Every structure is written in structure tokens, then in C-alpha cells.
Amino acid sequence: HGGGYCTGSPLTHRAITGHLATACAAQVFVADYRLAPEYPHPAAVDDAVAACRGLLDEGVATGELVIAGDSAGGGLAVATALRLREIGLPQPRALVLFSPWVDLTLAQLGPPPPGEVMLTLPWVRECAAAYLAGHDPCGPLVSPVGADLCGLPATLIQVGTDELLLPDARRLHQRLREAGVTVRLEEYVARWHVFQASAGVLADADRAIESVARYLREPAGD
């Protein structure tokens, strides 16, 4: 789940996770990972990796495992894949990223577009500082847009054109392509940060969730 690494829980994201479970005919496990400022980096990554270990130990095949996340959870999904690669564990079948936050340097963020109703720069800065707690903002597990992305699984990125993190999504898409990763970027016109949370009441959110389901039905997420 998202929330700037500081807020959110499995309960706050039941609209997304519930609709994903239904559309994808899948079991969805939502990690209740530790949050900053009490638990700064790398607590979230450690917890996400522990969740993956637990699922694999319980018999979930890597060919059936997809890691998804929104906002900070999207960045955490990429960081988790990087950490799994680092420690020699199998990669998931795919990554699904909603409005991923993948650059905690904030260097390329400008003023939010007029249609952004979820994020402000001051709040994003505060969350970044709390999660980093003095760690290098350029580190690959906090700002994976700058990491070596080779070998990551097929990735679907969804983002709205009226959101603060649109540059992050576009840059991540480009970096994954440069690394030879199979990646698809879907931009939804005039939609705000993590509009998929309105699934069930917003037509574009429903279309986005159904697009995830179609993507995962394709062979190897091609």
C-alpha cells in the first residue's frame, strides 16, 4: 500500500485490493509493513522481502507471484524486486505499479498540476525526510529510478496525467526500457494520483483495474 511510507494500511486500500482480487481472480496479500518515522528505511523493504519469503515458503510459485503497489508502495514494489535479486531469490512474475514514487531526491518534481487532488510538495518532502532519516536519497532501494534495473520482471505502470508523480512514472518507464525490461506505461488523461482507489465509483478506475487483469492474463506479462 501507499501513503508516503508514513501512513496507510491494508484497511485503507481495500478498494484497490478488493477490486484487484475480483478482476484478476487472485488471492491478494497486503503486507502491513512498518511505517516511518518510527521505522525508517530499510524497514519497509525488509518487511516486504519477508512477506515474499513467507509466501514462497507457503508454496506460492514464483510464476504466480505478482508484486503490486501504489505511490510509495509502487516504489517499494520495485525496491523489493531489486532486493530479491540482490539476495538471490527468484523474481516475481510481474510488477504492477500505480503512480509509483521512485525518486526520493524530489529533484525532478515541479508544482502539482491543477488536477492533482491528492499530493502536495510539502507533504511529499516531509514523508521523504521521515522515511530517509539521514539515508542517501539516491540509494537504489529508496530511489529505484536510478538503480540498475536489469533482470527485473515484466512491469505495468499506470499513472494519471494530472498528478505530481507523472515525471517519476515516465522516467521509470524509460529506465526500464533501457535496461531491457518488458514494460508498459498507461497514462489516463485528467486523472489524479492513485485514481484507482476510486474503483467501483469511477469509470476510469474500473478500466484501469480491468487493464491490470488483462495484462496479467497475457503470457509472462508481455
Side-chain angles (χ1 to χ4, degrees):
H1 68 79
Y5 295 106
C6 296
T7 65
S9 74
L11 290 177
T12 64
H13 283 63
R14 289 190 71 176
I16 294 180
T17 57
H19 282 87
L20 279 173
T22 300
C24 300
Q27 293 182 332
V28 176
F29 173 82
V30 189
D32 192 10
Y33 63 89
R34 291 169 292 172
L35 300 175
E38 291 82 3
Y39 300 100
H41 177 74
V45 178
D46 291 343
D47 291 352
V49 170
C52 289
R53 285 184 183 273
L55 291 170
L56 294 172
D57 289 345
E58 289 184 4
V60 176
T62 54
E64 299 174 343
L65 181 63
V66 174
I67 304 178
D70 72 282
S71 194
L76 180 57
V78 182
T80 301
L82 291 171
R83 181 63 177 147
L84 291 174
R85 185 189 66 186
E86 182 180 353
I87 62 179
L89 287 179
Q91 288 291 297
R93 176 172 178 258
L95 300 178
V96 174
L97 313 177
F98 302 123
S99 306
W101 187 25
V102 290
D103 184 2
L104 268 64
T105 72
L106 312 182
Q108 298 199 31
L109 292 188
E116 174 63 272
V117 297
M118 296 296 293
L119 295 182
T120 67
L121 270 175
W123 187 80
V124 169
R125 290 192 187 102
E126 185 175 349
C127 289
Y131 182 60
L132 288 168
H135 285 88
D136 181 3
C138 295
L141 298 186
V142 292
S143 295
V145 73
D148 174 7
L149 302 175
C150 292
L152 264 60
T155 301
L156 172 64
I157 304 171
Q158 292 183 346
V159 66
T161 61
D162 275 5
E163 65 167 290
L164 181 66
L165 296 184
L166 177 60
D168 275 33
R170 288 175 171 172
R171 288 168 57 215
L172 179 63
H173 175 247
Q174 181 61 34
R175 292 276 293 115
L176 286 166
R177 288 184 61 190
E178 292 169 353
V181 175
T182 299
V183 58
R184 182 183 302 173
L185 175 64
E186 296 180 351
E187 296 187 7
Y188 289 77
V189 177
R191 292 296 170 246
W192 50 89
H193 185 64
V194 193
F195 66 92
Q196 296 88 342
S198 297
V201 296
L202 180 69
D204 268 356
D206 292 340
R207 282 191 284 268
I209 295 295
E210 181 53 38
S211 179
V212 173
R214 289 195 304 271
Y215 181 79
L216 296 179
R217 286 194 292 266
E218 296 173 1
D222 290 339

